[in-house]
Amino acid sequence: MRKITLFLFLFSTLLLSAQDLSKLTPQQIAQYKKLAGGMKMDNKTVMSELETSERTFEYPDSLRYKEFDDREFEIDKETGKRKEKEKVKKLEVYGSRMFRQSKITFEPNINLPTPRNYVVGSGDELLIDVSGLYDVNFKVKVTPEGKVRIPNAGLIQVGGLTIEKALREVKSELSKYYGGIGNGQTRVDIALGNIRSIRVSVAGEAAFPGTYTLPSLATAFNVLYACGGPGEIGSMREIVVVRNGEKIASIDFYEFLTTGNLKNNVVMQDNDILLITPNTSQVIIDGAIKRPGIYEVRPGESLEELLNYGGGFGENANRSVVNIYRYEGADRKVIDVPFSLISNSIVKPGDSIFIAPIDDFYNNIVYLTGAVRRPGSYSIDDDASVKSLIEKAGGVSDEAFINMAQIIRRRKNKIPEVISFNLAKVLNGEYADIPLHHNDSLKVDSVSAFLEDHEVRIAGEVLEPGDYKLNKKMMVKDLIYLAKGFTEVASTSNIQLIRIIKDPAKMEGGVKKSYNVSFVLDKELDIVEGTGDMVLENGDLVIVRPIEGVEPIRIASVEGEVKNPGYYNIETKNTRVSDLLNLTGGFTRYAFVEGAYLIRSEKIKSDQTSMSTILSRNLKKILQSSNSGDIDAKVLEKMQVKNLDDLSAIDTVATSGNFKEMQELLYAEGIVSLSLTDILKDPNSYKNILIEDGDILVIPKKSQTVKVIGEVMYPSYVVYSSSNSFSNFITASGGFSDNALRKNSFVLHPNGRVIGTRSFLGFKFYPKVVAGSIIVVPKKTLDLSGKVSAAEVVSIGSSITSVMALVYSILRNTN
């Protein structure tokens, strides 16, 4: 039981001594570490708290208020209705910042000259200097009995004496041994060496009350800063120094803050007590004041004195009246104090004082905006009018639309009223001038505000074709200049201007909608007077066509087993496959003529957009058709089938691409199957197609194998023999697997032609296989027809049986 009591006592003592340690500044922590030897608490425990905390300061809940906040609203979670959001405005206690400033300290200065009123005590070191007829000095330390020992002079009592009195005692004793002291020929001086430490207690409402060990030169302000200043309810204006049970000084910290006067900042002595009394009279001041906050007032202080503590009125303060929110018994009331009475109005504890700012409201202002020389705000008098205001602003600008202007006037009910009038007739006196009222807004629009955006377009062989803003009196030659002139292939002998007919009389009964005008201009823009001078109108289109017959260079290439592979120029539009082949010098001995094919890449043209959309929508149906004969090999590649080993079924190909991929597929590279043997026999045959720019003619090398992939037992290469059929190659690969979709099997010939399996009356006709072919056997697709499997039938039957057993059990128990 004794151990438990001792533990609780030590724990309570520690909590009381270390309360609110998080509020110390780093300088106070450092000072505390230095002086912690004199504290009656566990130094290690307290310092660990200090080093991991920061100091904050809040004032009591009783002084928080709501009168001066802007109103905000929120939704009540219980009722769902809109309600005013409760806000609490936090203000700073005046003077508390002084004890939170890291750059401000009140440490005693021990390098000052020795104060003559300093009281010598045990532990002080005195430096005694004798000069004149003698030159000797002594460094002596005051004993616990208050005495110092001087050679030859013996013990001298100095403890409890001021420096001045101690000097007289020392002179008196030394004069017995050193001549000339009495007549001034020998001089004796005393100074402090190392000073002693004193123990001072801080009690009352301090931030950190306790016992502190400080230098003996420490004053009351040094102690006040060391203890963190007044606590949450500590007074800034009644700080008492108690010595030997008597009050020797009273400190008003506001006097130091407002005037810098350190009145009653006495030097502390050993065992002195610094007592911080509770604060019993706080008030709040907020609004248009330079230093809003929480202040402490003394009995009898006026509102004017409190405003001085707050730094005085702000520049935007409404000084005509000051509002005081005051407690009166169990109620609160508002007191309006005129400026003339603030010096006689006494502030009471708990008052909340508010200085209202001047409203952002002018009682002699009008606003002028728009197409005037000097738009802005103007003052008005009793004779202010539209005409006088325009004259004050320097008149209207050149682009002003003066047929109409508007006055926006706010009536007493705050609903705006619009007054429209003819500004031109008011200015020239045809109409009566319109008087202006306070807070009117006069708007004069610009002519451009009533005009639609006008544009013209130039297309064809110019460097920068496109749409251009139509400026006033802009001509054809100006538009060509803006487009940076003609291209190299531009034909300037027939430049056309297309104009929309806007006059119904010229539309020929609504049949004719536009007409053309042709121009001839110099290609180097050396335009003479009278050419290209036609003024453009909104919506005009200028077209510059290329020189007839001019086309860019067209190139095709030949790859594979030819004597001279490479790039070749397509000189004429009627160059065919046979012509391109003749340029190569013929085939090599390894050429596989039957496997030749052409790779073609087309660019999307503007007139093919609608066609490509239609083909994209129907491509899936085309691919899914079981009767499809030839399928381009590049279709498989563009539909994300990376290699033929990954191909499972035509359905997979058909469903793997989205609309964008199909759009790209239609105009991407594609293989054109060629019957090169027939072309060589008959160059006039329709099979001898024309060569296009970018075409690649490929003559492959002879192959002696056939590749079988997909749903077969053993995908492999099989040696080609003309006597083997499709079924023979499947058999050589182990036959079809269980998942094989036989009816959709197809063969990819070396020349890019794809031939599928055909069916008639239940009989399958497999395609012909040639050397170098690839046989593809797709995989069956997932059956989503909704048929119930055997396992599902068993599961459903078990569930029905369980339900019947349950019903039977219930009926039996009921009976």
Side-chain angles (χ1 to χ4, degrees):
M1 186 62 185
R2 291 181 179 178
K3 292 182 178 180
I4 295 174
T5 304
L6 180 61
F7 171 79
L8 292 175
F9 173 77
L10 293 175
F11 183 73
S12 302
T13 304
L14 180 61
L15 289 179
L16 290 172
S17 302
Q19 59 180 337
D20 292 333
L21 293 174
S22 62
K23 297 183 180 179
L24 282 179
T25 64
Q27 284 68 26
Q28 290 168 328
I29 292 174
Q31 185 171 352
Y32 181 83
K33 288 180 177 179
K34 183 166 58 177
L35 306 175
M39 298 289 288
K40 297 180 180 179
M41 59 182 73
D42 186 348
N43 184 41
K44 293 182 179 180
T45 303
V46 175
M47 294 317 300
S48 65
E49 275 195 55
L50 293 176
E51 292 170 351
T52 58
S53 304
E54 294 181 359
R55 184 182 178 195
T56 58
F57 191 92
E58 294 184 1
Y59 53 89
D61 291 341
S62 60
L63 291 173
R64 296 178 181 175
Y65 66 105
K66 307 172 188 175
E67 285 90 343
F68 312 145
D69 290 336
D70 295 330
R71 297 177 67 197
E72 290 185 5
F73 297 90
E74 62 182 352
I75 302 300
D76 192 326
K77 294 182 179 179
E78 296 182 359
T79 63
K81 296 182 178 179
R82 182 172 175 266
K83 68 174 184 179
E84 185 176 350
K85 185 177 180 180
E86 182 176 343
K87 285 202 310 182
V88 174
K89 187 169 184 176
K90 291 188 176 182
L91 294 173
E92 188 175 62
V93 174
Y94 179 57
S96 63
R97 184 182 301 180
M98 182 69 70
F99 300 98
R100 301 200 306 272
Q101 293 289 336
S102 60
K103 296 182 180 180
I104 298 178
T105 62
F106 286 95
E107 294 181 359
N109 189 348
I110 60 176
N111 295 319
L112 292 174
T114 303
R116 307 315 294 172
N117 62 347
Y118 176 79
V119 178
V120 179
S122 174
D124 282 340
E125 184 182 64
L126 300 180
L127 304 179
I128 302 173
D129 182 72
V130 181
S131 59
L133 298 178
Y134 303 90
D135 188 9
V136 63
N137 54 70
F138 307 100
K139 183 187 291 186
V140 293
K141 190 172 184 179
V142 181
T143 66
E145 291 78 18
K147 298 180 179 182
V148 294
R149 178 180 292 278
I150 301 177
N152 299 324
L155 292 173
I156 302 175
Q157 182 70 38
V158 294
L161 303 178
T162 64
I163 286 291
E164 191 173 6
K165 291 181 179 179
L167 177 59
R168 288 200 294 265
E169 289 294 324
V170 171
K171 277 184 177 182
S172 176
E173 292 297 325
L174 291 181
S175 63
K176 299 176 183 179
Y177 306 99
Y178 297 95
I181 294 178
N183 58 20
Q185 292 182 316
T186 300
R187 180 180 176 85
V188 179
D189 292 303
I190 294 181
L192 282 173
N194 294 327
I195 61 176
R196 71 186 187 278
S197 296
I198 61 174
R199 293 166 64 84
V200 178
S201 297
V202 179
E205 301 303 329
F208 307 101
T211 301
Y212 293 83
T213 300
L214 300 170
S216 56
L217 289 176
T219 65
F221 273 59
N222 302 143
V223 179
L224 185 63
Y225 185 78
C227 72
E232 292 185 356
I233 63 171
S235 173
M236 292 271 185
R237 311 200 63 181
E238 187 63 27
I239 302 169
V240 178
V241 178
V242 179
R243 182 175 296 161
N244 299 324
E246 295 183 2
K247 174 182 173 182
I248 65 166
S250 178
I251 298 173
D252 183 353
F253 197 63
Y254 276 22
E255 193 169 350
F256 167 72
L257 293 174
T258 54
T259 66
N261 187 359
L262 294 176
K263 181 180 178 182
N264 292 336
N265 185 25
V266 297
V267 176
M268 303 297 286
Q269 294 187 10
D270 199 25
N271 296 320
D272 278 356
I273 299 173
L274 184 73
L275 176 64
I276 301 177
T277 61
N279 173 17
T280 58
S281 55
Q282 278 187 327
V283 298
I284 292 170
I285 184 168
D286 196 11
I289 191 169
K290 293 182 178 179
R291 190 166 45 239
I294 300 174
Y295 292 83
E296 183 179 349
V297 294
R298 283 187 163 179
E301 283 190 325
S302 67
L303 179 58
E304 184 179 36
E305 291 176 292
L306 179 61
L307 294 176
N308 290 335
Y309 292 145
F313 288 105
E315 289 75 9
N316 63 334
N318 182 358
R319 303 177 184 224
S320 61
V321 66
V322 176
N323 305 118
I324 299 179
Y325 297 82
R326 177 169 292 170
Y327 292 101
E328 289 286 350
D331 301 318
R332 295 198 70 179
K333 69 177 183 178
V334 180
I335 301 173
D336 296 331
V337 180
F339 178 77
S340 59
L341 299 179
I342 60 173
S343 59
N344 299 325
S345 178
I346 304 302
V347 181
K348 294 184 179 181
D351 282 355
S352 294
I353 296 140
F354 182 69
I355 294 93
I358 297 175
D359 293 333
D360 188 14
F361 180 79
Y362 302 89
N363 58 8
N364 66 333
I365 191 171
V366 290
Y367 304 94
L368 179 60
T369 60
V372 293
R373 299 292 183 187
R374 293 188 298 273
S377 304
Y378 291 88
S379 63
I380 61 170
D381 51 28
D382 295 338
D383 298 328
S385 64
V386 169
K387 190 173 182 179
S388 63
L389 179 61
I390 295 293
E391 291 174 353
K392 188 182 291 187
V396 295
S397 60
D398 295 337
E399 68 272 12
F401 181 75
I402 57 176
N403 289 345
M404 179 177 287
Q406 283 186 340
I407 297 173
I408 300 176
R409 177 168 295 165
R410 293 190 179 276
R411 298 184 294 183
K412 293 182 179 181
N413 57 8
K414 302 298 183 181
I415 298 176
E417 176 186 6
V418 178
I419 303 172
S420 300
F421 59 95
N422 189 312
L423 179 61
K425 294 187 177 182
V426 170
L427 294 179
N428 62 28
E430 291 185 44
Y431 288 172
D433 199 0
I434 301 174
L436 293 175
H437 297 177
H438 158 67
N439 212 31
D440 277 355
S441 179
L442 174 58
K443 182 180 180 182
V444 180
D445 278 313
S446 172
V447 174
S448 60
F450 297 90
L451 299 177
E452 62 176 321
D453 293 334
H454 287 185
E455 288 185 342
V456 290
R457 176 179 295 183
I458 185 168
E461 298 302 323
V462 289
L463 293 178
E464 293 185 4
D467 296 330
Y468 290 87
K469 182 180 179 181
L470 176 62
N471 297 317
K472 195 172 183 180
K473 296 183 180 180
M474 186 174 176
M475 301 180 184
V476 173
K477 60 185 179 182
D478 300 321
L479 178 59
I480 294 174
Y481 176 78
L482 291 175
K484 307 302 182 185
F486 302 107
T487 64
E488 187 177 3
V489 297
S491 172
T492 59
S493 60
N494 186 23
I495 299 174
Q496 283 195 333
L497 167 65
I498 302 175
R499 175 166 293 173
I500 302 171
I501 299 175
K502 302 172 184 175
D503 186 357
K506 298 179 181 180
M507 291 184 180
E508 299 178 4
V511 176
K512 193 173 182 179
K513 302 297 183 182
S514 62
Y515 65 92
N516 302 337
V517 180
S518 297
F519 297 91
V520 178
L521 296 176
D522 183 74
K523 196 167 187 178
E524 302 300 327
L525 294 182
D526 185 13
I527 301 174
V528 297
E529 192 71 25
T531 60
D533 292 342
M534 186 171 182
V535 178
L536 296 173
E537 295 182 3
N538 183 34
D540 282 355
L541 171 62
V542 176
I543 299 176
V544 182
R545 296 185 176 86
I547 297 173
E548 184 179 358
V550 174
E551 292 185 6
I553 295 174
R554 300 191 301 159
I555 297 294
S557 64
V558 183
E559 298 178 357
E561 300 300 322
V562 292
K563 292 180 179 180
N564 295 294
Y567 293 97
Y568 292 90
N569 179 31
I570 306 173
E571 296 182 358
T572 63
K573 289 188 175 182
N574 62 348
T575 300
R576 299 181 180 272
V577 173
S578 59
D579 300 324
L580 182 60
L581 197 57
N582 290 334
L583 295 176
T584 66
F587 304 110
T588 67
R589 58 185 293 190
Y590 302 106
F592 183 34
V593 179
E594 292 79 3
Y597 58 91
L598 189 74
I599 300 177
R600 174 161 293 174
S601 177
E602 295 182 356
K603 296 181 180 178
I604 299 178
K605 301 177 182 178
S606 59
D607 58 348
Q608 293 173 323
T609 305
S610 300
M611 179 62 72
S612 63
T613 303
I614 295 171
L615 292 177
S616 298
R617 291 174 181 172
N618 292 280
L619 183 58
K620 180 176 178 180
K621 296 180 180 179
I622 295 171
L623 292 175
Q624 288 179 331
S625 173
S626 60
N627 296 322
S628 59
D630 295 354
I631 301 179
D632 200 317
K634 284 294 180 179
V635 170
L636 306 179
E637 179 181 343
K638 289 296 177 180
M639 295 303 290
Q640 298 181 352
V641 180
K642 296 180 181 178
N643 55 67
L644 293 176
D645 293 325
D646 297 333
L647 188 62
S648 59
I650 296 296
D651 289 340
T652 303
V653 179
T655 57
S656 63
N658 57 26
F659 179 83
K660 183 179 179 181
E661 291 166 345
M662 291 180 179
Q663 182 89 1
E664 294 174 353
L665 171 64
L666 292 172
Y667 295 99
E669 291 181 348
I671 292 179
V672 180
S673 300
L674 298 177
S675 298
L676 200 54
T677 304
D678 296 338
I679 292 174
L680 295 176
K681 289 180 181 180
D682 183 10
N684 295 323
S685 171
Y686 73 93
K687 298 180 181 179
N688 191 14
I689 63 176
L690 296 172
I691 296 297
E692 300 288 347
D693 182 33
D695 281 354
I696 303 172
L697 178 60
V698 180
I699 312 298
K701 187 178 180 180
K702 290 180 180 179
S703 177
Q704 297 178 326
T705 60
V706 172
K707 188 176 183 181
V708 183
I709 61 174
E711 293 301 318
V712 293
M713 300 303 294
Y714 187 70
S716 60
Y717 286 91
V718 181
V719 176
Y720 173 75
S721 173
S722 58
S723 61
N724 288 344
S725 65
F726 180 92
S727 299
N728 297 134
F729 290 107
I730 294 296
T731 302
S733 298
F736 291 111
S737 69
D738 293 339
N739 293 326
L741 187 62
R742 301 185 184 189
K743 65 179 183 178
N744 280 4
S745 299
F746 60 91
V747 175
L748 176 62
H749 285 189
N751 64 354
R753 187 177 183 184
V754 179
I755 304 176
T757 302
R758 299 179 182 275
S759 301
F760 181 72
L761 298 177
F763 296 97
K764 294 181 178 64
F765 298 92
Y766 293 108
K768 181 181 178 180
V769 181
V770 299
S773 297
I774 300 175
I775 298 175
V776 181
V777 181
K779 186 178 181 179
K780 291 179 181 178
T781 57
L782 181 63
D783 185 6
L784 300 175
S785 60
K787 296 179 180 179
V788 181
S789 64
E792 291 174 327
V793 172
V794 174
S795 177
I796 294 172
S798 300
S799 300
I800 293 174
T801 303
S802 300
V803 172
M804 292 178 64
L806 179 62
V807 172
Y808 175 75
S809 177
I810 293 173
L811 293 175
R812 184 176 180 182
N813 292 335
T814 303
N815 295 333

